[in-house]
Amino acid sequence: MRKLMSVLLCLPLFAMAASVPVYAEEWEDTSWQETAAVNPYYGGWGNCTWSAWQLANTYAGVALPDFGSASNWYDSAASMGYTVSSVPQAGSIVCWSHHVGYVSAVSEDGNNVYIIEGGYMGGYHEGWFPAYTSRSTQALLGYIYLW
């Protein structure tokens, strides 16, 4: 009976774990899980600030401070001593008026950036975008260098 109770008590935990949503099947690197507790943002891949913070930590090894909402990142970073620029570089954070993402690559001619981001249409997304223009209704503010 004791063994049966142990199994029954564990069953709801297993069922809960099985129902946890996976936001990005493409994301195979699970090292972010080791540092997820120190990320000051919430929402997983559904939140651009959580995602940008986590990607900066995973790929650049930088634990960014809490810059506030996405609209504050560029100015907050500048006021905290980070270098900000209108010129993209791989390993930087791109900032639009209400959205942030991680720049993993810059095209050879420098006119396009490969961005990995969360909160784009509700979740994980990555792809090439023009480096110097607004995106949809989002005005480009610039890039935060992480080094």
Side-chain angles (χ1 to χ4, degrees):
M1 181 69 168
R2 182 175 288 193
K3 195 172 196 175
L4 178 60
M5 286 298 281
S6 296
V7 169
L8 289 176
L9 289 174
C10 292
L11 190 57
L13 295 175
F14 174 76
M16 284 180 10
S19 66
V20 172
V22 175
Y23 292 102
E25 292 180 25
E26 305 92 341
W27 185 259
E28 295 178 13
D29 181 359
T30 58
S31 61
W32 65 269
Q33 293 172 339
E34 298 168 13
T35 60
V38 298
N39 188 329
Y41 299 97
Y42 62 91
W45 291 110
N47 184 341
C48 68
T49 53
W50 181 93
S51 305
W53 190 99
Q54 198 60 57
L55 291 162
N57 186 258
T58 299
Y59 289 127
V62 176
L64 294 170
D66 185 342
F67 290 140
S69 66
S71 60
N72 296 328
W73 274 47
Y74 190 79
D75 290 336
S76 292
S79 71
M80 292 181 188
Y82 287 84
T83 300
V84 295
S85 175
S86 62
V87 179
Q89 290 198 4
S92 64
I93 301 292
V94 59
C95 300
W96 288 281
S97 52
H98 298 287
H99 187 70
V100 291
Y102 181 80
V103 177
S104 66
V106 177
S107 64
E108 193 172 304
D109 65 6
N111 290 324
N112 294 290
V113 290
Y114 194 84
I115 298 168
I116 306 172
E117 61 193 326
Y120 181 81
M121 297 177 66
Y124 177 92
H125 181 262
E126 60 181 272
W128 287 99
F129 294 94
Y132 297 101
T133 62
S134 298
R135 184 169 153 199
S136 300
T137 61
Q138 301 283 328
L140 178 67
L141 301 176
Y143 299 87
I144 302 169
Y145 295 169
L146 301 178
W147 53 95

